Amino acid sequence: HIWLNSIVLPLRPLAVFMAALLLALAASALAVVRAVQLPSVRSGSTHAERVRNEAKWSVHLGDRVYFTPPVSMLELSQESSSYYYTMGSEEALTSEMKAHRVGGEGRMHILHLPKGPSMLQIPRSGDRRAAFSSLVQLQHGAVQTSPVFPVYVHSQSTQDASDEVRALEAEAAKSITSEVYRDFLSRFVAIGAKGMTTRSYSNAEASKVAEDFLLSEFTKMGLTACLQEFTGGGNKLANVVGYLPGAGTGSLTVGAHYDSRPFDAKAPGAEDNGSGVAAMLSVAHAFTSAKVKPQKTVYFVAFAAEEPGLIGSEAFASAVEGSGSAIPTKCQPSASFLQGRRKLSTRVDENTAIILDEVGWVTPKFKNQTINFEATDLPGTISMMDQMLSVNTLLNAKPLEVVHNNAPFGSDHMSFLNRGMPAVLVINGDDDAYPNYHKSTDTIENVNMDYATKVTKIVFGGAIRTAGIQA
């Protein structure tokens, strides 16, 4: 027996009562989590065309066509302007987002927000499976035919590289081999401290070993190497920078984060993101081996602390913008053409970035080996994607299939895009399916060296064309 407000209740009946109450509360919570769903039909069904023709509005998302709810569904608005679309991992949906989710498939989510986006706070700065793209208002007739991103098609607005540049690319790319890539990757993923393989941002000793490794590699290539030091998440951190001066204004950052997860256990991080760092180092090696003299300044950057929230890339992008923790003087262009706080350009969109994250694992789901170019569809990013697409067929005997997500989220490209700098994330075509994400089993055996080498060649050619070559 126990006492409740001076009334004696037998323990057993009370337990039954409490269990029933908890079940009722759980059912109520489940009803909130599972918001009323928009009506939909299979896209290939006989009803789909009728819906498109007769409904006030409709959108094609995944394998379903969603359309105007009947007036009897009082919980849902009749206007398409009350619905928003976002992209992100289903496992990262907050309880509040689930309460507003009324449709979608896989990473694609339709949210009912009749009072606008201010109704909902969505995670924006986390890692790949914790962040979401910006909310986009649904438009009648919008089509996203598959949770797999669509094939990227050349815009035809970008002029191809000259014969001289194409010849330089082809010759310099000969130094990008699976053997070179494997060497960088195998040595990098072996980094750790006190007998444990890790590059966790919270492990100061292991982070220092990684920084020293990267500084040494950049120096051996003949690049000016430096640390951009700052504080983030209660830790002293540093981005590792390899600097190649240009003749003009503007910059190109070729970046990849070097930290790994789990935070407090073995974390070899071969795919995430040893694969990106090995690609970045291979691109830098090709630049220096070919003695490329770029028009724009080129920064090869290993970012710290992407995993806890893009901390390293935020520090670097803000420095390029002209605020935040400055890039060390020896890794900046001469002051003769800098403005204010040593800005690389007075036009922010002249500072660009290509980011490498998870570029080594090949999904078994796809027929063809696939790479995703992720960026907003703006002139600067379209130009970079067009050039990399062209390079894919020029430098790879069997080109990769290239897909495109124009709702970017969850990696270091966001630090540049959010400041108005053109930036493209290069990432596996099916990164959400990688089974060893943030696990101690993210080992080098999961990385396909031939695939990663093809990705590296694509980025190398894109970097050459974006940075330009001195006459």
Side-chain angles (χ1 to χ4, degrees), residues 214-255:
L214 292 160
L215 284 171
S216 175
E217 293 302 315
F218 285 146
T219 301
K220 285 190 291 187
M221 294 176 195
L223 296 167
T224 301
C226 59
L227 294 177
Q228 180 200 16
E229 298 179 314
F230 54 95
T231 301
N235 296 278
K236 291 183 178 180
L237 303 168
N239 293 325
V240 188
V241 181
Y243 166 62
L244 185 61
T249 58
S251 68
L252 167 66
T253 299
V254 180

Side-chain angles (χ1 to χ4, degrees), residues 222-389:
L223 296 167
T224 301
C226 59
L227 294 177
Q228 180 200 16
E229 298 179 314
F230 54 95
T231 301
N235 296 278
K236 291 183 178 180
L237 303 168
N239 293 325
V240 188
V241 181
Y243 166 62
L244 185 61
T249 58
S251 68
L252 167 66
T253 299
V254 180
H257 76 87
Y258 68 87
D259 58 317
S260 62
R261 289 185 69 172
F263 293 134
D264 300 314
K266 180 182 177 182
E271 164 67 354
D272 183 20
N273 186 37
S275 65
V277 171
M280 181 270 292
L281 290 172
S282 297
V283 171
H285 176 259
F287 260 75
T288 55
S289 296
K291 296 181 171 53
V292 174
K293 294 183 178 180
Q295 186 64 25
K296 286 185 176 183
T297 288
V298 180
Y299 285 115
F300 300 100
V301 187
F303 300 119
E306 183 262 6
E307 300 292 3
L310 317 184
I311 297 173
S313 58
E314 279 288 319
F316 190 80
S318 66
V320 170
E321 184 184 43
S323 59
S325 301
I327 302 167
T329 303
K330 71 174 184 176
C331 283
Q332 292 194 34
S334 60
S336 60
F337 66 89
L338 295 174
Q339 306 291 326
R341 292 189 58 193
R342 300 183 66 82
K343 290 184 179 180
L344 287 154
S345 174
T346 54
R347 286 182 50 189
V348 69
D349 62 355
E350 288 188 351
N351 298 309
T352 58
I354 301 174
I355 305 302
L356 290 140
D357 194 359
E358 300 180 55
V359 295
W361 178 68
V362 176
T363 177
K365 294 182 180 180
F366 297 169
K367 178 180 178 181
N368 300 317
Q369 294 184 351
T370 305
I371 192 69
N372 176 22
F373 295 166
E374 183 174 292
T376 49
D377 289 334
L378 296 173
T381 56
I382 289 173
S383 175
M384 286 193 284
M385 291 188 291
D386 282 349
Q387 297 293 7
M388 289 194 287
L389 185 68

